[in-house]
Amino acid sequence: QLQASGGGLVQVGGSLRLSCAASGLTFRRYHMGWFRQAPGKEREFVATITDSAIITHYADSVKGRFTISRSNAENTVYLQMNSLKPEDTATYFCAADLIHFGPAMRGNYWGQGTQVTVSS
């Protein structure tokens, strides 16, 4: 019900825009988020946006470089990633949560992940 896309291989300093399209749920009721997991590491919070798009949260490591946004008309959440670094390399997952947002987001639904690789 969550389909993530937009990952790829990019050089240091480059940009990517991830998309996550939702289906089968009332998208506008859900807080949406992005998490990532690098090989050998635990999944970590990246960013979330509330159902109304009024409040956003970012991990310190991506503040000022990443921007989360959503289109309730298109049932899609985005993650614009600029000034990418090698440490941003990971599989990125989108999540939908009815109640929780920010780092506390647990996710009622999860996407399948999209790979982002930043080469130096």
Side-chain angles (χ1 to χ4, degrees), residues 98-117:
L98 271 176
I99 298 173
H100 306 96
F101 55 87
M105 176 173 281
R106 300 176 186 177
N108 298 111
Y109 299 99
W110 289 88
Q112 86 288 2
T114 185
Q115 178 66 37
V116 172
T117 303

Side-chain angles (χ1 to χ4, degrees), residues 37-42:
Q37 187 168 19
K41 295 187 177 181
E42 294 186 353

Side-chain angles (χ1 to χ4, degrees), residues 1-2 24-25 30 32 94-98 106-111:
Q1 292 186 325
L2 296 179
L25 54 88
Y30 285 82
M32 299 298 297
C94 56
D97 197 308
L98 271 176
R106 300 176 186 177
N108 298 111
Y109 299 99
W110 289 88

Side-chain angles (χ1 to χ4, degrees), residues 6-83:
L9 175 64
V10 64
Q11 292 187 335
V12 169
S15 297
L16 282 174
R17 188 194 196 201
L18 306 184
S19 299
C20 175
S23 61
L25 54 88
T26 307
F27 182 77
R28 66 180 184 278
R29 294 180 58 195
Y30 285 82
H31 310 309
M32 299 298 297
W34 288 96
F35 291 74
R36 67 187 181 186
Q37 187 168 19
K41 295 187 177 181
E42 294 186 353
R43 185 172 61 196
E44 64 174 0
F45 157 77
V46 175
T48 63
I49 186 167
T50 53
D51 52 359
S52 58
I54 292 176
I55 301 173
T56 58
H57 290 86
Y58 295 94
D60 288 343
S61 58
V62 306
K63 279 181 182 176
R65 300 188 299 121
F66 291 11
T67 302
I68 188 170
S69 61
R70 65 188 293 159
S71 169
N72 286 349
E74 298 177 348
N75 290 350
T76 302
V77 62
Y78 304 97
L79 185 68
Q80 178 66 44
M81 305 186 296
N82 298 328
S83 303

